[in-house]
Amino acid sequence: MLTIAGLSRKQRERFFLGGKRLPSKHCLGLAALSAKEINEILENAVPMKQVISRDIKKVPALRGKTVVVLFYEPSTRTRVSFELAAKHLSADTVNVSASTSSVVKGESLVDTARTIKALGADLVVLRHPSAGAPHLLARLIDVPVINAGDGMHEHPTQALLDIFTLRERKGTLKGLKVVIIGDILHSRVARSNIWGLTKLGADVHLVAPPTLLPAGIERAGVTVHHRPEEALVDSDVVMVLRLQRERQRQGLIPGVREYARMYGLNAARLALARPDAVVMHPGPINRGVEIADDVADGSRAVITEQVTNGVAVRMSVLYLLTLGRGA
Amino acid sequence: MRLIIRGGTVVDPVRGRMYPSDILIDGERVAAVEKRVQARGARVLDAKGKLVLPGLFDMHVHLREPGQEYKETVATGTKAAMRGGFTAVAAMPNTAPVTDTPEVIRYVLEKARDAGYARVYPVGAITRGSRGDELSEMGALREAGAVAYSDDGRPVVSAAVMRRAMEYARMLGVPVISHCEDLTLAGGGVMHEGFTSTRLGLRGIPAAAEEVMVARDIILAELTGCHLHIAHVSTAGAVRLIREAKARGVRVTAEVTPHHFTLTEQAVEGFNTLAKVNPPLRTAADVAALREGLADGTIDVIATDHAPHAAHEKEAEFDAAAFGLVGLETAVGLVFTELVATGVLDIPAVAAKMSLNPARILGLPAGVIEPGAVADLTVIDPEATEIVDPASFASKGKNTPFGGYRLTGLPYATVVGGKVYIRDR
């Protein structure tokens, strides 16, 4: 490891970790971040990934800081990923989830925000079923807020980890043909990826039945398809979204079985993509619905890499947002 | 007690003209409208450079009393009306309890009398509890003073119930005011469905949710011969349907709010709950169509849909925040800034849409300035400018998306039955 004389341990760590403070105070969505900021986060995730590959997965960058992880929706992987990311950076973490907190007693997000502020958190990670809830929180407290998924709006760290994974695999995003298949309408992951990927120069294609496409999405600078066969040709990346079974009950699709037949990613469809195309999925997977077993477990799937990279990317975001703020 | 309104420009919406004149008010009535009035001992209100309109009438207001006095009361709402230049309001029945009995009508009227600000004309519920199944006692409501029927805030879902209500309303000679929204198409949406809702990840309400219901109610008005008044029109398609229906001779009238002819869905950017309203703010093309509808007479009335809420009901997640915004104290400024200054409406047309037409629709003898008429007048200073400051509102509700807007053309004085209220400036 690099050592530089005359620097404090913390400064050395900073030097090693690098990074420039982001102009944005919060990480609320990729629509609001510039390409430069996105690249800064991705660059900084590289040393973070080195940290977690070490024997002792800890740097003192956030020592003495308190990160509150506030989840109003059930989640395992995202919550654990954030918690680990904060712990690797030596922050103290407090987990608050809707079922255990006073949220069930009817405390509003506004009141919860005041409590968190009074308790002296240095950063809050929020997942909430309502779009814009992190924006509300950011207006109410003066510490950085990271959006860990808000309604159908955005899930910026998921898209950042997807993009990070693609950069590792493909080098650059510029000109990559990325196909996103599935329930775009309800997907915050799709939205964040659309903003992020298009900002970095990828050629984004969406595939879904008209009932699962949000209004006016073609204005986002993407190409919309209804049939996967026509979109998958020569694609570099296939991103598959989870299909909630309740969409059938809501009348948005005629049936899950039919959906699997028309839109499910199977080996035959994947064969239309470039031979080096990778398959991504934000999880959790509905095997046999949106993705066939052999594809999910196949050599082109990078689904487990996505999980590892998630921790690194979240460390990067936590670190950059706390840089130069407070003691 | 006599009052002279001296040196103003009197606006006559009936003949569509304006002329310089004094107005003498004796007690509650207009005594003379003459070039130069002399009356010894009369109080004089100098209206030089100002416009004198027949009292403005907001036919779509939520006063929240009884039941939700923390949002607004009849007293605060009617004071806000006067401050905004309105001499009368029609109060929507979505109170708690719903205004579906003569007792609630009488209660509201008594509160209005006690307050002594703008006049209140209650609207009775179409159905019991506005639940959409059984008709309210429409005859008894009419006798107690209801000027129209509406389940505003929600649609009458059943076409059969709406048909029966229209048949009754026709017999009683009052209009049905329809909140046109197909709830299945609205699908629990919280803003206009379009690229902005997609970007914000908010559930959208398509324009079709309104238009499907406007079309249905026009067909039912044709069937029953009832006077149908469409509340808060927000889409280009609805304007077109109403225009076509009028051309066919259907008894249909319509209103638009200042926020719908001013703002677009863009106002929601940043999850601004102050711009959360139902029907939602639509697109620039819809705003253009609403203005065209105002200009060509398709839209008869400008009404505010004044919907006061407590601060905590707006300071919430967008999904959880209440729909609606206050309009009484910004309406005149918005009409002059957005419609008069831009040439959409001339001033007599403003007097028609904000005074004469609402009075005619509700069958009330108002909207004109002539000897013998009740002395309800609004004096407007077309040059006065303000930066909207919600803290200055008389309404309990401060929930406006227009805070910080610069408005030119403001109410100067409001005269109700000869009693003068000068705006706090």
Side-chain angles (χ1 to χ4, degrees), chain B residues 214 218 227-231 233 235-247 250-256 288-302 344-345 353 357 361:
Chain B
V214 169
I218 285 171
H227 176 176
L228 167 69
H229 179 79
I230 314 265
V233 174
T235 76
V239 174
R240 196 177 59 238
L241 286 163
I242 294 161
R243 186 179 289 128
E244 288 164 4
K246 282 188 161 186
V250 182
R251 285 181 75 194
V252 57
T253 53
E255 73 191 27
V256 65
L290 292 170
R291 291 178 177 215
E292 197 188 326
L294 275 167
D296 73 11
T298 302
I299 297 174
D300 308 86
V301 169
I302 295 166
V344 174
L345 294 181
K353 310 240 185 235
N357 294 350
I361 287 165

Side-chain angles (χ1 to χ4, degrees), chain A residues 133-189:
Chain A
H135 301 66
L136 175 66
L137 186 66
R139 278 199 295 271
L140 295 168
I141 61 177
D142 44 19
V143 300
V145 174
I146 298 175
N147 180 1
D150 62 329
M152 304 183 292
H153 176 232
E154 287 228 36
H155 191 353
T157 57
Q158 175 69 43
L160 286 167
L161 77 87
D162 291 341
I163 294 169
F164 182 81
T165 307
L166 288 180
R167 278 207 348 174
E168 278 191 333
R169 283 292 182 127
K170 303 282 178 187
T172 175
L173 274 282
K174 214 158 240 128
L176 273 194
K177 182 174 180 183
V178 182
V179 178
I180 307 177
I181 307 183
D183 183 0
I184 316 280
L185 175 62
H186 297 92
S187 177
R188 53 195 175 207
V189 174

Side-chain angles (χ1 to χ4, degrees), chain A:
Chain A
M1 178 174 158
L2 210 59
T3 52
I4 294 157
L7 294 180
S8 73
R9 191 171 150 212
K10 197 164 177 180
Q11 282 168 323
R12 276 202 306 276
E13 201 63 63
R14 282 266 159 86
F15 185 86
F16 170 69
L17 293 172
K20 278 198 284 293
R21 185 173 155 177
L22 301 176
S24 293
K25 182 178 175 182
H26 309 284
C27 179
L28 302 179
L30 294 199
L33 288 181
S34 65
K36 209 171 153 208
E37 287 176 298
I38 293 171
N39 279 322
E40 182 66 27
I41 294 168
L42 299 173
E43 288 297 332
N44 221 251
V46 177
M48 295 302 174
K49 196 169 176 181
Q50 287 168 22
V51 170
I52 49 178
S53 61
R54 289 187 208 162
D55 232 13
I56 298 167
K57 302 175 176 54
K58 223 171 184 67
V59 286
L62 264 67
R63 199 168 50 185
K65 302 273 188 191
T66 304
V67 171
V68 172
V69 181
L70 178 56
F71 270 54
Y72 283 77
E73 265 182 2
S75 154
T76 312
R77 75 180 65 203
T78 305
R79 188 175 51 74
V80 169
S81 179
F82 267 111
E83 216 183 312
L84 271 177
K87 290 201 158 115
H88 291 335
L89 293 168
S90 306
D92 296 313
T93 60
V94 181
N95 272 302
V96 187
S97 58
S99 53
T100 56
S101 72
S102 46
V103 171
V104 288
K105 296 180 209 152
E107 187 177 88
S108 72
L109 179 61
V110 175
D111 292 330
T112 306
R114 293 197 178 108
T115 309
I116 287 170
K117 190 176 175 178
L119 290 173
D122 296 294
L123 188 147
V124 182
V125 177
L126 175 68
R127 163 161 298 186
H128 199 283
S130 284
H135 301 66
L136 175 66
L137 186 66
R139 278 199 295 271
L140 295 168
I141 61 177
D142 44 19
V143 300
V145 174
I146 298 175
N147 180 1
D150 62 329
M152 304 183 292
H153 176 232
E154 287 228 36
H155 191 353
T157 57
Q158 175 69 43
L160 286 167
L161 77 87
D162 291 341
I163 294 169
F164 182 81
T165 307
L166 288 180
R167 278 207 348 174
E168 278 191 333
R169 283 292 182 127
K170 303 282 178 187
T172 175
L173 274 282
K174 214 158 240 128
L176 273 194
K177 182 174 180 183
V178 182
V179 178
I180 307 177
I181 307 183
D183 183 0
I184 316 280
L185 175 62
H186 297 92
S187 177
R188 53 195 175 207
V189 174
R191 281 182 180 71
S192 286
N193 264 303
I194 289 167
W195 314 134
L197 290 166
T198 52
K199 275 177 193 187
L200 299 182
D203 174 24
V204 180
H205 294 250
L206 308 179
V207 185
T211 52
L212 295 179
L213 283 166
I217 191 65
E218 53 293 334
R219 283 175 58 189
V222 298
T223 311
V224 174
H225 308 264
H226 299 309
R227 302 290 308 142
E229 289 76 10
E230 97 189 27
L232 285 168
V233 175
D234 289 334
S235 54
D236 298 289
V237 182
V238 188
M239 212 175 261
V240 184
L241 301 174
R242 178 179 167 79
L243 182 88
Q244 306 273 358
R245 285 169 185 275
E246 72 204 61
R247 304 299 172 224
Q248 179 181 338
R249 218 178 43 248
Q250 292 167 337
L252 292 168
I253 52 166
V256 172
R257 209 173 52 185
E258 188 205 83
Y259 178 89
R261 199 163 56 235
M262 288 179 75
Y263 295 96
L265 186 66
N266 52 31
R269 288 200 173 113
L270 186 56
L272 298 169
R274 289 170 56 101
D276 59 346
V278 296
V279 175
M280 310 181 92
H281 192 298
I285 297 175
N286 276 320
R287 286 168 185 273
V289 180
E290 70 265 5
I291 192 164
D293 258 334
D294 54 342
V295 175
D297 302 330
S299 59
R300 291 150 99 181
V302 292
I303 297 165
T304 46
E305 258 175 79
Q306 286 174 272
V307 176
T308 316
N309 288 340
V311 178
V313 162
R314 289 177 176 118
M315 286 171 75
S316 173
V317 175
L318 284 166
Y319 174 71
L320 293 178
L321 289 181
T322 6
L323 252 188
R325 282 181 213 282

Side-chain angles (χ1 to χ4, degrees), chain B residues 110-390:
Chain B
E110 193 181 303
K111 288 281 173 187
R113 257 194 313 276
D114 291 350
Y117 299 117
R119 298 176 199 278
V120 175
Y121 295 97
V123 175
I126 296 174
T127 61
R128 285 174 204 266
S130 286
R131 283 187 298 269
D133 36 36
E134 295 169 83
L135 295 184
S136 64
E137 290 184 42
M138 294 172 77
L141 290 173
R142 176 67 180 143
E143 270 172 45
V147 293
Y149 305 104
S150 183
D151 278 355
D152 185 62
R154 42 174 105 172
V156 177
V157 170
S158 157
V161 171
M162 191 57 146
R163 174 202 178 167
R164 300 308 179 203
M166 284 192 184
E167 286 171 341
Y168 242 83
R170 185 194 171 206
M171 172 184 77
L172 295 164
V174 282
V176 164
I177 301 174
S178 180
H179 167 114
C180 291
E181 180 183 11
D182 181 309
L183 294 176
T184 61
L185 281 172
V190 292
M191 70 170 293
H192 176 67
E193 180 182 282
F195 185 55
T196 306
S197 68
T198 289
R199 208 152 33 73
L200 295 175
L202 292 170
R203 273 164 297 157
I205 303 172
E210 175 168 332
E211 292 155 5
V212 161
M213 215 53 149
V214 169
R216 182 200 79 174
D217 285 351
I218 285 171
I219 290 165
L220 293 177
E222 255 176 309
L223 172 69
T224 59
C226 178
H227 176 176
L228 167 69
H229 179 79
I230 314 265
H232 42 55
V233 174
S234 75
T235 76
V239 174
R240 196 177 59 238
L241 286 163
I242 294 161
R243 186 179 289 128
E244 288 164 4
K246 282 188 161 186
R248 274 206 311 282
V250 182
R251 285 181 75 194
V252 57
T253 53
E255 73 191 27
V256 65
T257 70
H259 48 275
H260 286 114
F261 68 60
T262 303
L263 299 174
T264 67
E265 56 182 339
Q266 304 273 326
V268 175
E269 287 294 348
F271 300 96
N272 178 11
T273 57
L274 292 173
K276 181 178 174 183
V277 62
N278 190 20
L281 302 170
R282 305 283 188 184
T283 66
D286 293 302
V287 169
L290 292 170
R291 291 178 177 215
E292 197 188 326
L294 275 167
D296 73 11
T298 302
I299 297 174
D300 308 86
V301 169
I302 295 166
T304 67
D305 195 4
H306 178 80
H309 291 294
H312 72 267
E313 293 169 308
K314 282 292 190 180
E315 194 185 63
E317 299 88 316
F318 200 90
D319 286 335
F323 284 103
L325 51 95
V326 291
L328 284 168
E329 293 168 82
T330 47
V332 168
L334 285 166
V335 166
F336 273 76
T337 307
E338 296 291 331
L339 302 180
V340 177
T342 56
V344 174
L345 294 181
D346 62 16
I347 290 162
V350 169
K353 310 240 185 235
M354 299 183 81
S355 177
L356 179 67
N357 294 350
R360 279 183 173 168
I361 287 165
L362 299 176
L364 300 166
V368 288
I369 301 174
E370 59 191 17
V374 171
D376 286 2
L377 307 167
T378 301
V379 182
I380 291 173
D381 183 345
E383 308 295 332
T385 289
E386 72 168 355
I387 306 292
V388 175
D389 173 16

